[in-house]
Amino acid sequence: MTFTIGIIGGTGEIGEGIAMRLSPLYDVVVGSRDTDKAETSCECCISSQKEQGVVCTLRGGSNQDALLASDIVILAIPFKHLVTTVESLHGFEDKIVISPINPMERAGHFIYTPPEEGSAAMKLAAMLPDSARVCTAFNNISGNRWRALDTELDYSVPVCGDDAEAKGIVMDLINRISLLKSYDAGPLSSSHIVESITPLLLNIARFNGMKDVGIIFR
Amino acid sequence: MTFTIGIIGGTGEIGEGIAMRLSPLYDVVVGSRDTDKAETSCECCISSQKEQGVVCTLRGGSNQDALLASDIVILAIPFKHLVTTVESLHGFEDKIVISPINPMERAGHFIYTPPEEGSAAMKLAAMLPDSARVCTAFNNISGNRWRALDTELDYSVPVCGDDAEAKGIVMDLINRISLLKSYDAGPLSSSHIVESITPLLLNIARFNGMKDVGIIFR
């Protein structure tokens, strides 16, 4: 089965990297608040992948375009823009919505700062229509790793969600990307643990002289 | 530099496994509420290691014995026994205290249930004299893996703590055990993230048909 993937915030570090990795596998619509920026980003991606002999299908548009065109939409935006972005869009009904969002602040080291709903994913789900099926995924992989197309992404990806079918689709999608391996990490209410791992990884990178640290379960 | 390691709750699954792995490297005192049980556990460990040609130094005693004899004490007890255990003991002054404790409950899946102090480690630190130096470590390794002496422990171990010297000593200790690799994971206030990873790993094991799942940072 083939899907169209929309990426809201698709010209940010993480969004652009996800677009680069997904566009050889799926039809991808890169959304941005700035449509020109989305189109330029797509042209760059297409030409750089063409040099490697990789054909990819992606086009740029507004965040609203990306949402409406997609079966699966990835919200690749910082937590601070979550509410305004979601409120500015319509058409989330029946979509699978992936949240890679990690609410955190820097106070010397990084601190996990979830909203009162418990996690970014739970807050997002509360804002969306009931028919939207939210899954947490891609929370713990750095933008740099996503964009380094000459190296495999060899990480574990925990997926939280309450809709078994949607979770299965998201897990299959993940398993097609490079060497990523998806794991069912339980209901959406467990997302706070997955989100909080990102400030932990940033602290580990900083305190141990590392870069772009990710996780493997085994 | 050589240390004596005391293990409070040293006859539980995790405590026994830690004793088995540490006793060839350090003097270990296995503490238990039941002194006879601690002694029997030590005899078992000594004779089974002797068969492998491994000499280990450990002896059994009460939890109080283990604490008083040690430079570094590991609190290998369930969260529900934390307060009563700590209140029943004296002599934590100047000790390095390792907390592998993960407050969690099972409600179908496992849920992280921290106390109001934010984490088991923060609650522990609040109960101890100021001169006790608490570090979080060994939170994410299952008792089965600790006790399977025929297989290496090939995991990452995040360490949180506010005393740099104590943290360094704990990290060196970890790096001597099997293939474990320690990482400075920031201040003690970040312990909640490390603790919460354990219910996540238990859920991942359960929902993905795995056993004794641990983590690697890379």
Side-chain angles (χ1 to χ4, degrees), chain A residues 149-180:
Chain A
L149 296 181
D150 54 339
T151 57
E152 297 285 0
L153 279 176
D154 189 4
Y155 293 119
S156 299
V157 181
V159 180
C160 298
D162 294 332
D163 184 289
E165 189 198 35
K167 194 190 274 182
I169 291 169
V170 170
M171 289 175 67
D172 287 346
L173 178 148
I174 291 165
N175 292 337
R176 292 189 62 191
I177 304 169
S178 192
L179 302 179
L180 294 185

Side-chain angles (χ1 to χ4, degrees), chain A residues 23-157:
Chain A
S23 54
L25 304 167
Y26 297 94
D27 287 345
V28 173
V29 182
V30 170
S32 173
R33 285 175 295 180
D34 178 345
T35 306
D36 288 345
K37 201 172 162 191
E39 282 164 4
T40 309
S41 171
C42 288
E43 283 160 23
C44 275
C45 180
I46 289 168
S47 65
S48 70
Q49 301 239 34
K50 205 172 184 178
E51 283 170 27
Q52 319 280 323
V54 178
V55 178
C56 52
T57 351
L58 81 171
R59 61 183 176 85
S62 65
N63 283 328
Q64 185 65 66
D65 294 335
L67 173 58
L68 292 180
S70 69
D71 306 292
I72 301 173
V73 64
I74 302 172
L75 278 183
I77 55 175
F79 178 70
K80 65 180 174 185
H81 295 151
L82 175 60
V83 173
T84 51
T85 303
V86 170
E87 283 179 351
S88 73
L89 300 170
H90 63 88
F92 279 101
E93 286 77 9
D94 301 318
K95 305 289 185 190
I96 294 174
V97 183
I98 297 179
S99 169
I101 303 170
N102 305 308
M104 57 188 175
E105 283 170 21
R106 190 165 185 169
H109 62 290
F110 287 90
I111 296 173
Y112 180 55
T113 52
E116 64 184 8
E117 291 83 355
S119 60
M122 291 295 278
K123 186 178 186 73
L124 171 62
M127 294 175 70
L128 296 185
D130 288 346
S131 67
R133 296 176 290 171
V134 178
C135 290
T136 310
F138 300 136
N139 296 69
N140 311 135
I141 303 171
S142 77
N144 285 335
R145 296 279 187 184
W146 277 110
R147 296 190 298 178
L149 296 181
D150 54 339
T151 57
E152 297 285 0
L153 279 176
D154 189 4
Y155 293 119
S156 299
V157 181

Side-chain angles (χ1 to χ4, degrees), chain B residues 121-181:
Chain B
M122 291 295 279
K123 186 178 184 74
L124 171 62
M127 294 175 69
L128 297 184
D130 288 346
S131 67
R133 296 176 289 171
V134 177
C135 289
T136 309
F138 300 135
N139 296 70
N140 311 135
I141 303 171
S142 77
N144 286 335
R145 296 279 187 185
W146 276 110
R147 295 190 299 179
L149 295 182
D150 54 341
T151 56
E152 296 285 0
L153 281 176
D154 190 4
Y155 293 119
S156 298
V157 180
V159 180
C160 299
D162 295 331
D163 184 290
E165 188 198 37
K167 193 189 275 182
I169 291 168
V170 170
M171 290 176 66
D172 287 346
L173 177 149
I174 292 165
N175 292 337
R176 291 189 62 189
I177 304 170
S178 192
L179 302 179
L180 294 185
K181 181 150 173 39

Side-chain angles (χ1 to χ4, degrees), chain A residues 154-155 184 208 214 216 218, chain B residues 154-155 184 208 214-216 218:
Chain A
D154 189 4
Y155 293 119
D184 182 347
N208 301 273
I216 307 266
R218 78 165 175 216
Chain B
D154 190 4
Y155 293 119
D184 182 346
N208 301 275
I215 49 165
I216 306 266
R218 79 162 171 217

Side-chain angles (χ1 to χ4, degrees), chain A residues 109 112 154-155 158 171 183-187 189-190 192-194 196-197 199-201 203-204 207-208 210 212-218, chain B residues 109 112 154-155 158 171 183-187 189-190 192-194 196-197 199-201 203-204 207-208 210 212-218:
Chain A
H109 62 290
Y112 180 55
D154 189 4
Y155 293 119
M171 289 175 67
Y183 292 85
D184 182 347
S189 60
S190 293
H192 70 99
I193 305 177
V194 174
S196 74
I197 288 173
L200 181 75
L201 295 175
N203 291 337
I204 285 173
F207 293 128
N208 301 273
M210 301 165 76
D212 303 319
V213 181
I215 49 165
I216 307 266
F217 301 124
R218 78 165 175 216
Chain B
H109 62 287
Y112 180 56
D154 190 4
Y155 293 119
M171 290 176 66
Y183 293 85
D184 182 346
S189 59
S190 292
H192 70 100
I193 306 178
V194 174
S196 74
I197 289 174
L200 181 75
L201 295 175
N203 291 337
I204 284 174
F207 294 128
N208 301 275
M210 301 165 75
D212 303 321
V213 181
I215 49 165
I216 306 266
F217 302 122
R218 79 162 171 217

